[in-house]
Amino acid sequence: MSDSGSCVLRDVTLCSPVGEILLSGCEKGVHTINIKLGTDREESVQPVGQSEMSPELQRCVDWIQCYFMKPESISALPLPALHHPLMQSDSFKAHVLWTLFKEVGLGKTVSYKQLAEMIGNPKAVRAVGSAMKNNPVPLIVPCHRVLRSSGDSGSYMGGKGDDIKVWLLTHEKKTLELNASKSEKSI
């Protein structure tokens, strides 16, 4: 537990297919999601140990469990409130992150250049990259869906999590392919 301004933060650690994920939040919402590098990867997504959670932190746990275990159902879940100061601001970075969140859905990708164009500033490619680097809530705001114009994945987590980015994109693509084949069979 720590104090962030007037917020009393609580933490919960989840095991996941990409390693341990540390969630931090207050009563008003989630502040950060950190994927811990070099930790064991698990098939299931469960809290590690016992943690006292606010309803919003529990909502985030539920959302992340659904993302990994039943991603096709993610749109049916309520989004956890995001209470990180960056996400509360009207800054350029917040605008980029909210645009990415709203416009680039599960299994879709966009280039840094396309995202810059989406926010109405096609010359802001590097600034878009900086916004991705400063994303406090990866997975929910899907910075892993932003690629280089060449189609290369680009770096993730400062280049140390590139394998995680590839895993996340593959996970989402498999879900879309599975859903497409299910809907073709039901026709």
Side-chain angles (χ1 to χ4, degrees):
M1 194 162 73
S2 62
D3 191 6
S4 175
S6 61
C7 295
V8 176
L9 299 180
R10 298 200 180 278
D11 298 331
V12 62
T13 300
L14 303 175
C15 60
S16 84
V18 295
E20 286 186 359
I21 300 172
L22 177 65
L23 310 176
S24 183
C26 68
E27 288 296 320
K28 295 178 183 175
V30 177
H31 283 243
T32 59
I33 297 173
N34 290 309
I35 301 169
K36 294 179 170 181
L37 295 169
T39 56
D40 291 338
R41 296 177 180 210
E42 305 286 337
E43 292 277 321
S44 65
V45 181
Q46 299 296 326
V48 176
Q50 293 289 356
S51 299
E52 188 179 320
M53 284 186 258
S54 69
E56 288 302 329
L57 212 48
Q58 181 62 56
R59 187 175 289 167
C60 187
V61 168
D62 295 343
W63 192 95
I64 289 175
Q65 286 174 322
C66 186
Y67 173 81
F68 284 111
M69 307 314 290
K70 293 182 75 179
E72 69 279 4
S73 304
I74 201 76
S75 61
L77 277 185
L79 184 70
L82 304 178
H83 199 247
H84 186 281
L86 174 61
M87 300 306 291
Q88 301 292 308
S89 75
D90 64 352
S91 69
F92 174 83
K93 287 179 182 175
H95 181 57
V96 170
L97 294 171
W98 281 114
T99 299
L100 174 63
F101 168 76
K102 291 174 187 167
E103 303 294 331
V104 185
L106 188 75
K108 309 280 191 244
T109 59
V110 66
S111 71
Y112 293 96
K113 181 178 185 201
Q114 288 169 319
L115 187 53
E117 290 166 353
M118 290 165 75
I119 62 162
N121 193 343
K123 294 183 188 243
V125 176
R126 287 181 188 257
V128 164
S130 176
M132 297 303 101
K133 185 178 178 185
N134 289 286
N135 179 6
V137 286
L139 301 177
I140 293 177
V141 175
C143 53
H144 62 276
R145 296 181 190 150
V146 183
L147 309 175
R148 292 181 174 148
S149 293
S150 66
D152 291 344
S153 69
S155 70
Y156 190 64
M157 300 172 66
K160 296 178 181 130
D162 294 354
D163 61 322
I164 294 171
K165 183 173 187 170
V166 170
W167 190 96
L168 293 169
L169 292 170
T170 303
H171 171 67
E172 292 182 7
K173 187 177 179 192
K174 283 181 192 171
T175 298
L176 289 181
E177 289 170 355
L178 186 63
N179 284 347
S181 89
K182 281 182 185 175
S183 53
E184 285 173 10
K185 289 177 184 172
S186 66
I187 295 177

